[in-house]
Amino acid sequence: MIERIRDLMMVARPALHLPFSLTPIAAPVAAAIAGEDVGLIQPLMESLDSTLLPRDERAQELFDVPLHGFDAAVERALREWEAVEALAAR
């Protein structure tokens, strides 16, 4: 997800792939910065290792919302963000 967002932002930065997760180290740091409980932050960070998008074709009917692809959702979020402030990464 993070690499795809990077691509959609047109940011040319190399990715560093490690054979282990830094979440156990990064989660307490992120929680301290955000002023949140690490018990909330760590599971959220761990969830980034798996697919979060529903693949059930009934999702639109169940949630009564229009479904969008991941790229479309990210592009919309970036447009909304840029309407508020310039994105420093670009």
Side-chain angles (χ1 to χ4, degrees):
M1 286 176 57
I2 293 171
E3 289 177 8
R4 189 67 198 125
I5 292 168
R6 177 201 64 200
D7 294 343
L8 291 168
M9 290 181 70
M10 297 177 275
V11 175
R13 293 192 181 125
L16 177 61
H17 297 280
L18 301 173
F20 53 87
S21 173
L22 290 174
T23 298
I25 298 167
V29 174
I33 291 170
E36 291 292 340
D37 181 3
V38 71
L40 170 68
I41 299 299
Q42 187 162 346
L44 289 173
M45 291 177 70
E46 288 170 347
S47 73
L48 295 174
D49 289 334
S50 61
T51 300
L52 300 173
L53 301 175
R55 299 289 180 219
D56 189 333
E57 294 172 356
R58 297 176 302 140
Q60 183 173 5
E61 177 185 323
L62 292 171
F63 296 113
D64 193 31
V65 295
L67 299 181
H68 305 282
F70 181 76
D71 287 4
V74 171
E75 288 170 352
R76 178 179 177 169
L78 291 173
R79 278 193 310 275
E80 290 177 0
W81 188 1
E82 286 180 309
V84 176
E85 65 180 314
L87 299 183
R90 288 193 182 191

